[in-house]
Amino acid sequence: MEHTGVHKKAKALTKAPAEGSVLRRLQRDKWLYVLLLPGLLYFLIFKYVPMWGVLLAFKNYQPFLGFWESEWVGFEHFRQFFANPDFGRLMRNTLLLSLYNLVFFFPAPIVLALLLNEVRVSLYKRAIQTLVYVPHFMSLVIVASITYVFLTTEGGIVNLLLEKFTGQKIDFLSNPEWFRPMIILQTIWKECGWGTIIFLAALAGVDAEQYEAAIVDGASRWRQLWHITLPSIQSTIVILLILRLGDVLDNGFEQIYLMSNALNRDVADVFDTYVYMMGITQGAFSYSTAVGLFKSVIGVTLVLSSNYLAKRFGQSGIY
């Protein structure tokens, strides 16, 4: 009888999921996984399944033959792209816009968040936040229209003021030298306020006792900012910088397309507009897919490299 009881206990243990096993966790947190299911399905259907489309970059896709019957050409489209005379110009324009974004736009939300954090009157702070958030919800078409209205030489308020005070007008919209500053200023005006949300949330988590101790020690506001505030949000800045480097070849199609014209196209053409021109207007689907895949590979490489360097220098990184 005793031997039979031991046998039954052993059998029961083999049937029951081990403590901490995957099956036990699934049973314990099943409703949490049910809530997680819609998000997983979204990424599976709209993010992972379409990744099969990158195979077009290695085929000479013909719509009447279909995806699988089209000829496999390997890296031919990549060789054509790198040998194209436009490659150097596209790379230069794209990298310069990304560099301007990193130098001028990326620090702007940080500076604005630090300034907002110093506002002690809650009513004023909320009013300012509302005002700087509003442009984010405007369509880029509206932003481009506002830019045209302000900067056109035919009755634009900026040129009217310039003509009044200097006697001259500047063709901001067609002059290639003004294209990149115009794009950066648009981006700062539209997205700077929205970008402060993450930094303000990080600033809200700074321990107030550190400021109190610094005040007791006689630290000025600048010293508090430099030695307490900035180090407290340093990890957030590093993570966002790493993610931004992943988009270094992605300048956004819509904004560039809306602001470009025949006179500034030499500096306005970037990879995003080139993909549109080749893929949509000329029907070179495989070639444009190869260009898009090149951008993605460079982005992933930069994210992995910058994350590795961040961890080497003692930062948390993104993983």
Side-chain angles (χ1 to χ4, degrees):
M1 291 293 292
E2 184 179 350
H3 183 74
T4 304
V6 172
H7 179 70
K8 288 181 178 180
K9 288 181 180 179
K11 190 175 181 181
L13 288 173
T14 55
K15 288 183 178 180
E19 185 68 30
S21 67
V22 175
L23 185 59
R24 175 64 65 86
R25 291 198 297 269
L26 288 174
Q27 290 177 349
R28 184 188 61 197
D29 302 324
K30 57 183 178 181
W31 296 116
L32 292 177
Y33 288 108
V34 169
L35 292 174
L36 185 64
L37 188 60
L40 290 176
L41 289 175
Y42 167 79
F43 278 97
L44 180 64
I45 296 172
F46 296 104
K47 300 296 182 181
Y48 286 97
V49 172
M51 287 177 67
W52 286 101
V54 301
L55 291 176
L56 285 179
F58 306 97
K59 287 175 167 285
N60 183 20
Y61 176 68
Q62 301 295 332
F64 60 87
L65 292 177
F67 184 84
W68 299 109
E69 298 298 327
S70 297
E71 180 187 4
W72 185 274
V73 296
F75 291 94
E76 180 61 28
H77 297 302
F78 293 94
R79 284 192 288 267
Q80 292 179 10
F81 176 54
F82 296 141
N84 194 314
D86 290 330
F87 175 77
R89 179 172 61 90
L90 294 170
M91 179 65 78
R92 181 178 66 254
N93 292 342
T94 302
L95 291 179
L96 279 175
L97 270 178
S98 295
L99 178 62
Y100 285 7
N101 268 308
L102 284 174
V103 173
F104 298 105
F105 170 66
F106 183 78
I110 303 174
V111 174
L112 182 57
L114 293 173
L115 293 174
L116 286 172
N117 192 56
E118 297 298 318
V119 178
R120 298 307 177 199
V121 181
S122 180
L123 180 61
Y124 293 161
K125 185 175 182 179
R126 291 177 182 176
I128 295 171
Q129 285 180 282
T130 302
L131 289 174
V132 297
Y133 289 168
V134 167
H136 170 78
F137 299 98
M138 291 184 180
S139 167
L140 281 170
V141 176
I142 296 176
V143 175
S145 300
I146 293 173
T147 304
Y148 276 103
V149 169
F150 273 83
L151 299 182
T152 180
T153 56
E154 303 299 327
I157 186 172
V158 174
N159 271 304
L160 287 176
L161 292 173
L162 284 174
E163 187 177 23
K164 180 178 180 180
F165 290 106
T166 66
Q168 296 179 347
K169 293 182 179 181
I170 299 177
D171 192 359
F172 295 100
L173 300 175
S174 300
N175 191 335
E177 295 180 358
W178 283 99
F179 178 78
R180 295 187 185 107
M182 185 169 56
I183 293 296
I184 300 304
L185 288 173
Q186 280 184 343
T187 305
I188 292 175
W189 178 76
K190 187 176 186 299
E191 300 296 344
C192 182
W194 188 255
T196 61
I197 293 176
I198 295 177
F199 296 108
L200 286 173
L203 289 170
V206 180
D207 189 0
E209 293 183 357
Q210 296 185 45
Y211 292 109
E212 295 172 0
I215 293 172
V216 171
D217 290 339
S220 63
R221 300 295 298 178
W222 173 255
R223 289 292 182 181
Q224 294 175 43
L225 173 68
W226 187 256
H227 294 289
I228 299 176
T229 307
L230 286 177
S232 298
I233 63 173
Q234 187 177 21
S235 59
T236 303
I237 295 173
V238 170
I239 291 173
L240 291 178
L241 178 60
I242 292 172
L243 296 176
R244 182 67 189 85
L245 288 174
D247 294 330
V248 71
L249 295 184
D250 188 3
N251 299 123
F253 162 75
E254 189 175 358
Q255 183 184 17
I256 305 296
Y257 183 76
L258 290 170
M259 299 308 302
S260 62
N261 52 59
L263 298 177
N264 63 16
R265 201 168 301 282
D266 282 342
V267 298
D269 278 342
V270 293
F271 288 125
D272 298 292
T273 56
Y274 185 71
V275 168
Y276 168 79
M277 182 184 68
M278 299 302 298
I280 303 300
T281 64
Q282 298 188 21
F285 301 113
S286 294
Y287 182 80
S288 60
T289 304
V291 178
L293 182 58
F294 164 74
K295 285 175 49 185
S296 301
V297 170
I298 296 298
V300 171
T301 303
L302 287 173
V303 167
L304 296 177
S305 302
S306 56
N307 185 74
Y308 171 77
L309 290 175
K311 295 179 77 68
R312 285 293 302 269
F313 285 101
Q315 299 298 321
S316 58
I318 58 176
Y319 62 87

